Amino acid sequence: MRRLPTLVLLAVVVASGLALQGFRDLAWTDAAGSVLYAMAAVFSLRVLWPSRETPRPLVVAGVALALCVVVELAQLTGLPARVPQLRWVLGTAFAPVDLLWYAVGALGGAGAMVLVGRLRP
């Protein structure tokens, strides 16, 4: 998959995440935000992947999922809560259920990359 379609996917996910902020009081938005966060990690990683060869979507998704898990575990240290600039990116409270939603988002991101990759002429 080329980088431009991945950038478009990333823009759509970021825009969706920003739009989701208007509905933060609804029960499902935390899960949806975690899924979008993982998808954004997958697409960002694909764009930044330092390879001339296109990596397999599941490889990118696996690395992105690992990074999301590290970020979630970092919340246990309390550091993101103490540094305001980190709150938006790292979050502030550890939630084990987010690990499940990250897996869903990573797989969804890999699936989206496969589908968009098949649209190429």
Side-chain angles (χ1 to χ4, degrees):
M1 176 177 208
R2 296 176 191 245
R3 286 193 165 113
L4 183 59
T6 308
L7 281 170
V8 171
L9 288 172
L10 178 59
V12 168
V13 166
V14 169
S16 298
L18 291 173
L20 194 63
Q21 293 299 308
F23 303 97
R24 293 183 81 181
D25 55 339
L26 300 175
W28 54 269
T29 57
D30 187 50
S34 295
V35 169
L36 291 172
Y37 183 86
M39 290 179 83
V42 170
F43 301 145
S44 297
L45 187 59
R46 171 56 193 103
V47 168
L48 298 173
W49 198 276
S51 173
R52 291 183 182 185
E53 242 182 78
T54 303
R56 295 181 185 264
L58 280 179
V59 171
V60 178
V63 173
L65 176 59
L67 292 172
C68 289
V69 168
V70 168
V71 166
E72 192 68 23
L73 293 175
Q75 294 170 358
L76 292 172
T77 67
L79 180 66
R82 292 191 302 265
V83 181
Q85 295 83 358
L86 295 178
R87 289 182 183 174
W88 280 91
V89 178
L90 301 181
T92 57
F94 175 76
V97 72
D98 283 349
L99 300 174
L100 168 71
W101 294 120
Y102 292 153
V104 170
L107 288 174
M113 288 192 330
V114 168
L115 290 174
V116 170
R118 290 184 179 173
L119 296 176
R120 287 191 297 192

